[in-house]
Amino acid sequence: MEQTFIMIKPDGVQRGLVGEIIGRFEKKGFSLKGLKLITVERLFAERHYADLSAKPFFNGLVEYIISGPVVAMVWEGKNVVTTGRKIIGATNPADSAPGTIRGDYAIDIGRNVIHGSDSVESARKEIALWFPEGPVSWSSSLHPWIYE
Ligand SMILES: Nc1ncnc2c1ncn2[C@@H]1O[C@@H]2COP(=O)(O)O[C@H]2[C@H]1O
């Protein structure tokens, strides 16, 4: 089953959106396989966003991510990478549809509340970085009520 890495950013934690965001993934039917509240160091944030290191907003992005605790999660389910990105909405909240997390709770691209892996390969790398101990192995008893 596919897994993705989802992070509630410091603004999402400060604004009390943790329960709401987790609820959206849970209610969809995805399974939570890893969860930690963690404040990361600059070098760690730079590693997570290494692909963006040449972007003009890179330093500001790193400052934002290290500015407070984040909630790091692994979610599992069929097509969870793509569907998770749909639940989250477009990167720039100005373009995120109402009903998505960013569409409902964010205004500025520099405070967009949540991160989700953009591909299965990125998810694999991000889960390995944030959960070196590996995700938690368990099976939801609801599985037959969610999948045929
Ligand atoms: N033009 C931009 N200005 C500021 N931050 C940006 C810009 N484009 C992307 N980002 C940030 O870079 C992040 C990369 O992936 P995220 O989904 O975490 O969300 C993105 C935004 O937080």
Side-chain angles (χ1 to χ4, degrees), residues 26 29-33 76 137-147:
E26 271 188 330
F30 293 133
S31 293
L32 184 60
K33 296 287 167 120
E76 184 177 283
S137 180
W138 70 285
S139 297
S140 167
S141 57
L142 293 180
H143 205 272
W145 300 106
I146 293 168
Y147 298 100

Side-chain angles (χ1 to χ4, degrees), residues 10-71:
D11 50 334
V13 175
Q14 293 286 348
R15 292 176 56 197
L17 297 174
V18 172
E20 170 67 27
I21 289 171
I22 289 177
R24 289 190 181 205
F25 281 83
E26 271 188 330
K27 282 180 238 168
K28 176 70 175 171
F30 293 133
S31 293
L32 184 60
K33 296 287 167 120
L35 174 73
K36 56 175 102 163
L37 178 71
I38 178 176
T39 305
V40 297
E41 311 234 324
R42 181 177 303 275
L43 278 176
F44 188 94
E46 286 175 354
R47 239 177 113 191
H48 172 76
Y49 282 122
D51 290 352
L52 301 175
S53 60
K55 299 282 185 192
F57 57 81
F58 181 70
N59 287 340
L61 174 60
V62 169
E63 287 294 335
Y64 161 44
I65 295 304
I66 68 175
S67 66
V70 300
V71 175

